[in-house]
Amino acid sequence: MSENQQCAIYGGQAVIEGVMFAGQKVHVTAVRRKDNEIQFLEVPKKEIPWVQTLKKIPLIRGIVGIIESSAKGAQHLNFSAEVFAGEDGDTKQNEKESLTGRLTMILGVAVVGVLSFIFGKFVFTLVPPTIEQLLFGKLFTNQIGHNLLEGLIKIILLVAYIYFISLTPMIKRLFQYHGAEHKVISAYEAGLELTVANVQKFNTLHYRCGSSFIVFTVIVGVVIYSFFQYDSFVERIVQRLILLPLVIGVSYEVLRFTNSLREVPVLKYLGYPGLWLQLLTTKEPDDSQVEVSIASFNRMRELDRQASNM
């Protein structure tokens, strides 16, 4: 498999003042310290046989992948935050932490990441139907209409939430690194040398992004809910919770499908809703942020090559 083909499995994620890239063998986060030095966190991938088996099963692989990504992302986000906290605090004390304590902290952060994802999905699953029931519960009896309104409310809440948090300086910089990550992947897939000038030529949108997945969960949810009837509001809420794993699994498959069609005229528009949301979740990065993203990506590729040659 060529490097360009391998790029299809690479994934990225913005963290505080840095970027994390996931390759075949390793996850690498690059963070720029306040003294302008770039510091790396390199975490080898550990393939657990039963997890790898689950990741090959349609519908189930999406759920496994999202949970795994949430845990890994939380670990790297914590590293990014620690770099800056350490510079303002007692760095020597941080360096004296025991290995056992360090591993315990990382495990705890990973668990928090997974729980945060699950909590967020529950909130965005339960709040929209509650609002829809309160505002439009007696408007009509067609449940498909209620499902469509629920989906619309969910989109409005999602867009409003992302917009308002993007106004804060920290989240704005996070979204700038998100944009830098997308630019680097696009430049690499185009076969260009990864320089700041080359990377900055690309826009911040990319098909293989978690933002697209979020949009698809809303659209797919409306479709799936339409196949199930409910007789009360309580039954509607319980139904949403029970169907949540199915919605996540199907949404992941839809995302994979649209990614495979992105070069096909007309069909490529199936992925546009996710790209539209990325107009909010990505911002134009400055050259310094692009440098960090390039450093993270190049380090990940280097470690992947080393691991493959062992």
Side-chain angles (χ1 to χ4, degrees), residues 253-269:
E253 300 302 324
V254 172
L255 179 62
R256 285 171 57 95
F257 179 68
T258 58
N259 284 341
S260 67
L261 299 175
R262 60 181 175 148
E263 302 298 334
V264 180
V266 180
L267 295 180
K268 67 179 182 180
Y269 296 112

Side-chain angles (χ1 to χ4, degrees), residues 187-247:
Y188 178 74
E189 290 178 332
L192 297 181
E193 180 184 0
L194 294 184
T195 64
V196 172
N198 284 342
V199 170
Q200 288 285 35
K201 294 176 183 177
F202 293 85
N203 64 42
T204 62
L205 310 183
H206 198 279
Y207 266 80
R208 290 194 312 276
C209 176
S211 300
S212 301
F213 174 77
I214 294 173
V215 173
F216 284 133
T217 59
V218 177
I219 298 174
V220 169
V222 170
V223 175
I224 290 179
Y225 298 154
S226 298
F227 287 96
F228 297 86
Q229 299 294 310
Y230 53 84
D231 296 321
S232 66
F233 175 68
V234 173
E235 185 178 336
R236 180 180 183 182
I237 293 298
V238 172
Q239 185 185 95
R240 298 298 188 262
L241 293 176
I242 294 175
L243 293 175
L244 182 57
L246 178 62
V247 171

Side-chain angles (χ1 to χ4, degrees), residues 159-213:
V159 170
Y161 170 74
I162 294 175
Y163 172 74
F164 283 112
I165 67 170
S166 70
L167 298 179
T168 65
M170 183 183 73
I171 299 300
K172 180 180 178 180
R173 286 192 62 80
L174 186 71
F175 287 174
Q176 285 178 302
Y177 275 107
H178 190 191
E181 168 236 318
H182 285 182
K183 282 173 173 268
V184 168
I185 294 177
S186 295
Y188 178 74
E189 290 178 332
L192 297 181
E193 180 184 0
L194 294 184
T195 64
V196 172
N198 284 342
V199 170
Q200 288 285 35
K201 294 176 183 177
F202 293 85
N203 64 42
T204 62
L205 310 183
H206 198 279
Y207 266 80
R208 290 194 312 276
C209 176
S211 300
S212 301
F213 174 77

Side-chain angles (χ1 to χ4, degrees), residues 139-155:
L139 185 61
F140 45 78
T141 58
N142 189 318
Q143 291 189 354
I144 294 180
H146 285 295
N147 291 337
L148 289 173
L149 282 174
E150 176 185 334
L152 178 61
I153 292 172
K154 189 175 295 186
I155 287 291

Side-chain angles (χ1 to χ4, degrees), residues 263-297:
E263 302 298 334
V264 180
V266 180
L267 295 180
K268 67 179 182 180
Y269 296 112
L270 292 173
Y272 273 37
L275 296 178
W276 293 333
L277 185 60
Q278 289 177 45
L279 295 174
L280 290 176
T281 62
T282 63
K283 302 293 182 184
E284 279 294 331
D286 58 33
D287 289 351
S288 174
Q289 292 167 322
V290 169
E291 287 175 356
V292 173
S293 189
I294 292 173
S296 178
F297 189 78

